Amino acid sequence: MSGVGLKLSDVRFAYDDWQVRFDMDVAPGWFVAVIGPSGAGKSTLLNLVAGFEQPSSGSILIDGEDTCTLEPAKRPVTMLFQEHNLFAHLDIHTNVALGISPALKLTAADRDRIAVAFDRVGLSGLEQRRPGELSGGQRQRAAIARALVRDKPLLLLDEPFAALGPALKNDMLDLVAEIHREGHMTVLMVTHEPQDARRAASHTVFLDEGGVVALDQTKTLFARKDLPGLKAYLGA
Amino acid sequence: MNRANIFAFAGGGLSLAVVWVVVTGAFAALVLTAAGGEGPSATLSDPYLWRVVRFTLWQAALSTILSVGLAVPVARAFARRRAFAGRRVLLALFALPLALPALVVVLGVVEVWGRTGWFNGLAEIAGFQPVLNVYGLTGILLAHVFFNLPLATRLLLTHLDRVPAENWRLASQLDMPAGAVWRFIEWPVLKTALPGAASLIFMLCVTSFTVVLTLGGGPRATTIEVAIYQALRFDFDPVRAVTLALLQLALCGVLVMGAGRIVGDMQAQPSLGKKAVRPDLDGWAGDAVVIGLAGLFVLLPLVAIVTSAVRSDLARLAGETALWQAIYTSTWVALSAAALCLTLTAGLLSAVRASHRKRAGKPFFEWNTDAAGSLILVMPPIVLGAGWFVLLRGVGDIFTLAPLVVVVVNALMALPFVLRVLGPAVAQANLDHGRLCASLGLAGWNRLRLVDWPVLQRPLALSLAFAMALSIGDLGVIALFGSEDFTTLPFLLYQRFGTYRIDDAAGLALILTVYCLGLIALADRVRSERRKVTG
C-alpha cells in the first residue's frame, strides 16, 4: 500500500457568513503542505476530510470512495491536532492502545505493535508516563505512535508542532517525513511556515479567498510568480 | 446516526419530557382549578391578596436596598484593605450564609436579635426596654440582609478587584485623593455591578419562603409564597392558592426576564490579583469600623447557632427516635432527589453534546435545556408543589404520595444549579476531547468509562453534594406535604421552632448545618484527573 488518493469535488462549507469551496486532487503517496493566510480554511479543509465538519454539498473521495456520510472513526484517516491529542488522565500506553481498540481489548500481537510504535518514535521505556509528565515534543511523539498503530492510509496534521521550538519541530518533521517515506501514508499538513513545507512536503497547496488557488510540487509552487495572493502571503 | 447518539437523544428526550410534564402538570392543574371554581375574579378583588402582593414587593425592595446599600461601603473597605489578618477567613465566612439552610439562619437571627437575644439583652443592661421585635418586617429584613449583604459584598468586590493595576498606578501618578478615586474609579465600576446584584437579590427576596414563614406569617407580614402555603395547608382554599400561584408565576417571570437582561455580564471572573499601591489609603479607622461591623453582623448569628446548640441537650436529642427518623427520611429523600436530578441532567447534557457532534437538532436540545433551566427558576418550588397538591387531591391521599412529590420537586429545584455546574464542565471536556473521541471511535460505555468519568468526577461530586444539600436544607414543599409519617430534618426543626422549643431547634440546626456543609466539604475533596495539561 502506498497511501491513498484524496479527491475533493466542489466541496462547499459555510459557517455564518464565512464560506469556502474546495476542489483538489491529491495522488496516493503525496506529502502535501497546506499553506495560506488565516481564515483561508486550512483547518476546515482537514476537519472536512476527517469528518468533524459536514460539507453542505460536494463529495470527498478517499481511495475512490465517497466518505461524506461516514463517522470520523469509520474513515481511513488519522488526524493530529495542535493540542489535546492525548487524554491527560491516561498513561501514554493506554492512549496509544486506544488507537487499536476503544474498549482496550488487546491481543499479544497488538501489544507487540504498540511496543514497536513506541520504539519507532523514541519513547520506549516511557509508556507508563502520563502526558503531564512528558515534554511537549514527547507528547506529540506519543500521538504519532498512535497514528502508527492505527495504520490509516491518510494522515492529517493540523499544526501539531506549532508550539514546539525550531530544533524540536524539525526533529518532528523529519520523523513524519521518515514515516511517510516508508510508503504507507498520504499526508496533509497545515503549516504557517514555508520552510516546513520545503523541509518535508513533496507538494504544497495554497489556499486563499475561500478556495484552492494552486496545488503543485513544493519547489515549483514557491517559485511561481503568477499568484499575487501567494506573493502577498509570503511577503517576499 | 449511531447507537450512542440514539441513546443520547432518547435520554435527552426523556429528561425533557419529565421536566415538562412535572412543570406543565402543575401549571395546568393550577389554571384548571382557577377556571373551574368560582373563578379567581372573586379572589382578585380580595383586598387581602393585594396586601400580600404589596408586602412581597415592599419587603423585597427594602431588603435589596439595605443589602446592596450596605454592601457598597463594605465591599469598598475590603477592596481598600487587601492584606489585614483574617481577611480571607472573613470573606470565606461571607460565602457561608447562602450555603446554610434558611431555617438555621432564622434561628441564628432570633438568637441574636430576638426578644431574649443578645442585642436586647445588651439593651436591657444599658437600661433600655427591649427594643427589637424580631417577628414581623424587622426580623424578615434582618434575615434577608444577613443572607444578602455578604452575597452583595462578594459580588461587588469581584468587580472592584477587576480594576486593572494600571488604573491605580495612574491614580497614584495623578495624586488622586480618596474622593477623586471614588468618583473616577470605584463608583463607575460599582455602577455597572449594582443593577445585576440588586436584581438577583430582589428575586431571592421575592421568592423567600422559609424566612417569611417563620418570622412573618401574620396578616401584616405575609408574602405570596407563604400565602399559598397557608391557603393550601390551613384554609383549604385551592382557588386562592391558585390565584396566588399564578400571580407569583407572572411576577417571577417578569423579574427573571428583566434580570436576565441586566445580569448578563455578572459572571465573576477571577481577578489577576496583581497588587498595586493605591494612593487613597490614609485613615484606616473608617475601613476598620465598616469591616468590623459587617463582620460582627455576619459572625454573631453563626456563633449563636453554635453556642446555643452546645447549650441545648444534644445528648437527649440524640436519644429521640424522631431525630433519627428525620435524618433517615432526609437522607433518602435527598439521595433520591440528587440521583434523579443528576440522571435528568445527564440525559439533557448528553443530548446537547450528541447534537453538537451531529449538527442536526442542535438548536432543539440546547434551547430546550436552557428553557428547562430557566422555567424552573421562574416556577418557585412552592408553586410546583401547590400545583401537584391540587392535582393529586383528586387522585388519592396526598400524604401517601407526598414523598414522591417532594423528591421530584427537590430534584427539579436543583436542576438549574446542577446544569450550571456540569454544563460548562461537559462542554469543556467535549472541547478538549470531542474530536479525539470521535476519531478513535470512543463512544457510549467506553467513552464514559475511559474519558468522561475520570474527567468529570469532581463536578459530578459537587453537583451531587449540592443537590443533596439543597434537598436536605429545604423547607418548601415539605412544609406543604410533611406529616407525622413523613418528617424531614427541616420539617422537624420547623415544628420545634414553631412550638418555641428553641433549645431543640438549636440542636437540630447544628445537626442540619453540619450535615449540609459536611456533604459539600466531602465533595470538595474529590479531585478530577488533571485536565489542564494538553497532549
Side-chain angles (χ1 to χ4, degrees):
Chain A
M1 198 159 73
S2 59
V4 288
L6 169 68
K7 187 174 166 63
L8 284 79
S9 308
D10 193 28
V11 171
R12 288 167 193 266
F13 177 80
Y15 188 80
D16 290 341
D17 56 350
W18 179 85
Q19 49 191 2
V20 284
R21 175 179 173 275
F22 295 118
D23 268 300
M24 189 167 107
D25 202 345
V26 174
W30 283 6
F31 189 137
V32 184
V34 182
I35 62 168
S38 53
K42 299 187 295 291
S43 293
T44 303
L45 172 66
L46 265 58
N47 280 332
L48 284 165
V49 174
F52 299 124
E53 302 284 9
Q54 286 292 330
S56 51
S57 69
S59 67
I60 300 173
L61 304 183
I62 302 177
D63 202 16
E65 305 238 356
D66 193 347
T67 55
C68 276
T69 55
L70 292 180
E71 297 278 318
K74 299 274 191 289
R75 302 187 183 201
V77 170
T78 295
M79 183 158 163
L80 259 61
F81 317 113
Q82 194 161 2
E83 49 179 18
H84 299 302
N85 281 300
L86 305 172
F87 298 111
H89 60 278
L90 301 174
D91 65 40
I92 56 175
H93 186 272
T94 312
N95 265 292
V96 171
L98 281 173
I100 293 178
S101 160
L104 288 179
K105 294 206 173 77
L106 302 176
T107 64
D110 291 335
R111 289 181 188 283
D112 288 345
R113 277 171 59 210
I114 293 170
V116 170
F118 270 112
D119 192 40
R120 185 76 182 74
V121 299
L123 288 181
S124 286
L126 302 179
E127 288 93 336
Q128 306 312 318
R129 302 266 183 100
R130 290 188 184 197
E133 299 163 322
L134 299 173
S135 70
Q138 286 173 324
R139 288 202 287 269
Q140 300 302 48
R141 278 173 190 275
I144 291 174
R146 190 173 54 214
L148 285 173
V149 300
R150 270 169 67 82
D151 198 23
K152 302 289 182 192
L154 183 56
L155 178 64
L156 308 176
L157 307 172
D158 191 5
E159 298 193 72
F161 314 133
L164 306 177
L168 209 50
K169 182 155 105 177
N170 284 340
D171 287 351
M172 302 300 293
L173 282 174
D174 293 345
L175 176 63
V176 173
E178 220 175 283
I179 290 166
H180 172 249
R181 268 198 299 279
E182 285 164 14
H184 291 290
M185 290 176 185
T186 304
V187 180
L188 248 66
M189 174 180 78
V190 172
T191 179
H192 273 298
E193 306 283 341
Q195 68 260 29
D196 291 356
R198 291 202 181 93
R199 189 178 185 97
S202 64
H203 293 71
T204 296
V205 61
F206 176 60
L207 306 184
D208 197 9
E209 292 181 352
V212 175
V213 177
L215 168 58
D216 218 329
Q217 291 200 345
T218 301
K219 239 185 282 173
T220 319
L221 185 95
F222 280 119
R224 279 175 74 164
K225 302 281 185 230
D226 58 326
L227 303 171
L230 180 65
K231 203 174 156 200
Y233 171 64
L234 294 171
Chain B
M1 206 192 290
N2 60 26
R3 248 180 45 209
N5 279 348
I6 292 172
F7 272 123
F9 286 131
L14 208 63
S15 301
L16 276 183
V18 170
V19 174
W20 283 109
V21 164
V22 173
V23 174
T24 50
F27 190 76
L30 292 179
V31 174
L32 286 179
T33 315
E38 53 189 286
S41 49
T43 328
L44 272 177
S45 54
D46 186 352
Y48 164 81
L49 190 86
W50 296 108
R51 203 163 60 229
V52 165
V53 172
R54 245 193 337 267
F55 181 78
T56 304
L57 294 173
W58 173 235
Q59 61 82 21
L62 280 180
S63 303
T64 307
I65 292 168
L66 283 172
S67 302
V68 178
L70 292 172
V72 168
V74 178
R76 178 171 173 268
F78 270 109
R80 282 158 59 88
R81 307 293 157 189
R82 312 207 56 85
F84 67 90
R87 182 178 187 272
R88 280 186 51 178
V89 177
L90 211 51
L91 280 177
L93 208 68
F94 273 36
L96 206 55
L98 263 195
L100 289 175
L103 208 46
V104 174
V105 168
V106 168
L107 212 66
V109 167
V110 171
E111 294 279 352
V112 175
W113 304 101
R115 190 164 177 78
T116 56
W118 299 356
F119 181 80
N120 280 331
L122 276 179
E124 227 162 336
I125 291 169
F128 296 99
Q129 292 293 309
V131 274
L132 264 181
N133 180 8
V134 84
Y135 293 95
L137 183 61
T138 318
I140 293 172
L141 291 182
L142 277 168
H144 281 169
V145 174
F146 175 79
F147 268 119
N148 295 312
L149 169 68
L151 172 69
T153 301
R154 286 171 58 99
L155 283 175
L156 297 181
L157 188 58
T158 55
H159 280 255
L160 284 173
D161 281 350
R162 255 188 276 167
V163 172
E166 287 75 9
N167 279 13
W168 297 121
R169 300 209 176 105
L170 191 63
S172 300
Q173 221 168 55
L174 300 176
D175 203 18
M176 282 187 179
V181 165
W182 167 253
R183 193 175 143 203
F184 294 114
I185 299 181
E186 290 169 327
W187 175 239
V189 171
L190 289 173
K191 209 169 56 180
T192 60
L194 283 176
S199 59
L200 176 67
I201 289 169
F202 189 74
M203 180 78 192
L204 287 174
C205 294
V206 163
T207 56
S208 159
F209 174 74
T210 307
V211 166
V212 182
L213 178 67
T214 44
L215 294 176
R220 310 182 125 264
T222 294
T223 56
I224 302 178
E225 296 229 356
V226 174
I228 295 171
Y229 161 79
Q230 289 169 338
L232 287 176
R233 188 94 198 211
F234 298 125
D235 307 337
F236 302 106
D237 185 349
V239 176
R240 192 169 54 166
V242 166
T243 317
L244 285 161
L246 291 175
L247 262 175
Q248 170 84 331
L249 210 57
L251 191 59
C252 288
V254 170
L255 286 175
V256 163
M257 275 189 285
R261 214 154 280 170
I262 326 177
V263 182
D265 69 332
M266 274 298 293
Q267 274 143 0
Q269 283 164 13
S271 75
L272 294 171
K274 261 190 192 160
K275 275 186 190 159
V277 179
R278 297 177 48 151
D280 58 331
L281 293 185
D282 299 338
W284 53 271
D287 292 333
V289 169
V290 169
I291 291 175
L293 284 178
L296 275 181
F297 182 73
V298 176
L299 195 60
L300 284 181
L302 299 175
V303 173
I305 293 165
V306 177
T307 54
S308 58
V310 169
R311 257 189 295 116
S312 76
D313 199 346
L314 277 173
R316 185 185 50 78
L317 208 55
E320 279 192 49
T321 36
L323 171 69
W324 296 106
Q325 189 61 41
I327 289 179
Y328 172 73
T329 308
S330 272
T331 304
W332 73 254
V333 165
L335 267 176
S336 319
L340 178 61
C341 177
L342 280 191
T343 311
L344 292 174
T345 310
L348 290 173
L349 290 179
S350 55
V352 167
R353 190 173 77 177
S355 62
H356 267 264
R357 216 171 351 179
K358 289 303 294 181
R359 286 194 163 260
K362 168 175 174 176
F364 177 78
F365 274 108
E366 221 169 276
W367 187 87
N368 268 291
T369 301
D370 287 352
S374 324
L375 195 69
I376 295 161
L377 282 182
V378 182
M379 198 94 173
I382 195 83
V383 174
L384 263 185
W388 283 91
F389 193 97
V390 172
L391 198 66
L392 294 176
R393 204 175 33 136
V395 178
D397 181 16
I398 287 172
F399 293 103
T400 51
L401 292 165
L404 182 67
V405 177
V406 172
V407 166
V408 171
V409 173
N410 278 350
L412 287 195
M413 263 165 54
L415 192 68
F417 300 99
V418 168
L419 271 175
R420 206 163 276 185
V421 174
L422 271 181
V426 169
Q428 181 63 44
N430 198 38
L431 207 63
D432 290 352
H433 302 309
R435 288 197 302 175
L436 188 53
C437 287
S439 72
L440 295 174
L442 265 178
W445 167 243
N446 284 326
R447 175 167 182 172
L448 194 68
R449 173 174 67 106
L450 291 168
V451 182
D452 291 337
W453 171 244
V455 172
L456 295 175
Q457 256 171 22
R458 184 179 163 78
L460 274 173
L462 279 178
S463 303
L464 188 73
F466 198 74
M468 278 189 74
L470 214 62
S471 168
I472 287 176
D474 174 51
L475 181 79
V477 248
I478 189 68
L480 216 48
F481 286 92
S483 63
E484 280 302 308
D485 303 324
F486 184 51
T487 302
T488 61
L489 263 180
F491 193 67
L492 183 67
L493 173 47
Y494 175 58
Q495 284 176 332
R496 298 288 159 95
F497 184 80
T499 48
Y500 297 101
R501 290 157 73 179
I502 298 295
D503 276 0
D504 280 7
L508 286 167
L510 188 71
I511 294 167
L512 196 57
T513 308
V514 169
Y515 198 166
C516 284
L517 297 185
L519 273 173
I520 291 171
L522 209 63
D524 201 43
R525 295 174 65 100
V526 176
R527 295 260 168 256
S528 271
E529 298 287 348
R530 281 171 309 166
R531 181 208 80 215
K532 274 244 140 212
V533 183
T534 60

